[in-house]
Amino acid sequence: MSERGEWMQTYTGRAFYPLDPRPQDVAIDDIAHALAHLCRYGGHSRFFYSVAEHSLLLARYAAASPDMAPKDAADLALCALLHDASEAYLVDVPRPLKIMLPLYAVMEARVQAAIAARFGLSHGLSGLVRDLDHRILTDERLQLMETPPQPWATDAEPLGVIITGMSPRRAEREFLDEFHRLRWGAR
């Protein structure tokens, strides 16, 4: 074990230290690949639905916001695209478990801060992203899940997005394309 603690090897071959995350250890290729292979809801959906597709849907919705200037919408979209990027290094923990794991929340915040620093994300947009993330739950419940045995804890207005169940390869490619488009205007 190094002075930074235990490490994990990423898709691109980097060492990443989840207990000591640093911006220079974060790579968009690792994030896109891992999120494209992680299924939301612990795999309990009618078909495969990756965290990458979820993030893409939020980003595209945010980018099309008619209430914001184009630059502000692009900043919001980039924040939305990367709002769950810490899960590339920590995995996606379903909400009922996540609230029972306070140390996970601390690690998640540290990793997300390293990601935000690496890509220059605005902290001021997190409330708007949280609202979108809450609203997409209704879309996901209606399109991905069987009839619930009891009401979900959300009754938010859906975003109206269409979930297609992208393959991991497609989700990874589109995630990277969206990142480059939002960050630099093209690729």
Side-chain angles (χ1 to χ4, degrees):
M1 180 165 69
S2 81
E3 69 277 357
R4 291 179 66 192
E6 295 290 339
W7 63 279
M8 58 186 272
Q9 183 171 336
T10 67
Y11 167 69
T12 61
R14 290 174 170 79
F16 187 85
Y17 297 82
L19 299 179
D20 186 15
R22 298 182 183 170
Q24 66 268 25
D25 298 335
V26 172
I28 195 62
D29 293 321
D30 288 328
I31 292 169
H33 183 80
L35 295 184
H37 287 85
L38 280 176
C39 189
R40 289 210 10 111
Y41 300 102
H44 294 281
S45 54
R46 286 189 208 144
F47 52 85
F48 181 79
Y49 175 59
S50 70
V51 175
E53 183 175 353
H54 162 81
S55 299
L56 274 165
L57 290 170
L58 281 183
R60 290 173 178 165
Y61 184 89
S65 176
D67 300 331
M68 301 181 95
K71 169 74 171 103
D72 294 335
D75 288 347
L76 178 62
L78 185 59
C79 290
L81 184 69
L82 296 174
H83 81 285
D84 280 338
S86 62
E87 294 174 6
Y89 303 104
L90 301 177
V91 306
D92 182 26
V93 176
R95 284 182 189 212
L97 294 176
K98 192 180 277 191
I99 61 174
M100 301 300 292
L101 303 170
L103 291 178
Y104 179 90
V106 171
M107 290 186 301
E108 183 179 43
R110 287 181 186 159
V111 172
Q112 201 62 34
I115 291 164
R118 173 75 172 89
F119 300 118
L121 302 180
S122 170
H123 296 291
L125 297 172
S126 61
L128 293 171
V129 173
R130 231 182 346 269
D131 178 57
L132 296 178
D133 196 31
H134 184 72
R135 290 179 57 200
I136 201 171
L137 290 174
T138 302
D139 296 285
E140 292 170 348
R141 177 180 52 82
L142 294 171
Q143 295 176 53
L144 294 170
M145 310 306 271
E146 296 299 329
T147 303
Q150 54 192 342
W152 279 33
T154 178
D155 60 354
E157 181 71 27
L159 296 178
V161 297
I162 304 299
I163 299 166
T164 62
M166 294 178 185
S167 70
R169 177 179 280 178
R170 178 178 165 207
E172 180 177 353
R173 184 182 67 248
E174 290 193 26
F175 186 99
L176 286 170
D177 289 347
E178 190 75 10
F179 172 81
H180 291 294
R181 186 183 69 74
L182 293 168
R183 186 94 193 272
W184 293 293
R187 182 167 186 192

